[in-house]
Amino acid sequence: MKALRTLLAIAGLAASLSAHAGVIETSKVTDFNQVNYFEPLGQSFVAEDAAIKFAFRYMPLNTWYANDPLEISLVAGAGVGGAVLATETFSLASNYDGFYDIDFSAVALTVGQSYTAVLRVPGDSPFWGIYTSDDSYAGGTAYQSGSPAGWDTIFRVTPVGQQNEVPEPGSLMLAGLGLAALRLARRKPAAK
């Protein structure tokens, strides 16, 4: 029985090491902003996990213009002027309407600290817009033309490891320990 309790304690520790806080997502659309006109557009958030993917919710807005690429940066702190931690340029199909995840998991975030995703159009096309919301996210705010906007964008922050990925070593260890604990629990006590 002592071995079983030890295995269960180790399994609990392994579970805490591999846990994620969950997805942060705003979803109540109240308006939209044209990216090129209001850039840099940003959304600050408080990191709940060290490795994340970030997504704005995009919409084609002025479809008679060129579909220029977009550029998103992850910066330290709340606001668009922080130290740039990573930047990615990407393109979307001209009829794309929805969230588009950018993997920032190569940057180790500090849980509890503020970060801002900053969006720009490297060219000058007003093709793309992003959906916005009332001020529904308590952990941050949107930035429009670089200034606090007093509302939020429609965005989501997803811990890496939450979306159909290979299990982490901690999860595999937890499953193995659980099986070992079940096997020990089924063993018959030795005859006296």
Side-chain angles (χ1 to χ4, degrees):
M1 196 62 170
K2 184 177 179 184
L4 177 62
R5 276 187 251 143
T6 303
L7 280 175
L8 291 175
I10 293 171
L13 176 62
S16 69
L17 293 174
S18 64
H20 293 287
V23 176
I24 300 169
E25 184 174 326
T26 58
S27 58
K28 182 184 172 196
V29 174
T30 56
D31 208 349
F32 58 86
N33 265 24
Q34 191 253 80
V35 178
N36 182 254
Y37 186 79
F38 292 107
E39 67 183 343
L41 278 169
Q43 175 67 50
S44 63
F45 63 95
V46 175
E48 294 183 9
D49 292 279
I52 63 150
K53 293 179 184 177
F54 185 93
F56 285 111
R57 185 171 171 206
Y58 300 92
M59 62 183 289
L61 191 58
N62 297 308
T63 56
W64 53 92
Y65 285 93
N67 179 1
D68 282 356
L70 296 160
E71 178 184 273
I72 189 169
S73 298
L74 184 65
V75 302
V80 299
V84 176
L85 305 173
T87 298
E88 185 167 329
T89 302
F90 61 100
S91 296
L92 301 172
S94 59
N95 62 347
Y96 193 86
D97 189 328
F99 286 107
Y100 186 79
D101 287 303
I102 301 296
D103 189 346
F104 286 121
S105 62
V107 178
L109 304 185
T110 302
V111 173
Q113 295 296 311
S114 291
Y115 297 89
T116 304
V118 181
L119 186 64
R120 293 181 172 87
V121 178
D124 61 358
S125 174
F127 186 93
W128 288 105
I130 59 170
Y131 290 98
T132 61
S133 176
D134 56 6
D135 194 15
S136 59
Y137 173 62
T141 191
Y143 292 84
Q144 175 180 297
S145 302
S147 298
W151 39 264
D152 292 308
T153 64
I154 301 297
F155 74 100
R156 86 176 160 212
V157 179
T158 307
V160 172
Q162 294 281 98
Q163 297 178 334
N164 300 327
E165 295 181 9
V166 176
E168 297 175 356
S171 298
L172 292 174
M173 184 174 80
L174 176 61
L177 288 171
L179 289 172
L182 284 173
R183 182 165 171 88
L184 281 174
R186 294 186 66 194
R187 290 176 68 185
K188 294 180 182 177
K192 291 184 179 183

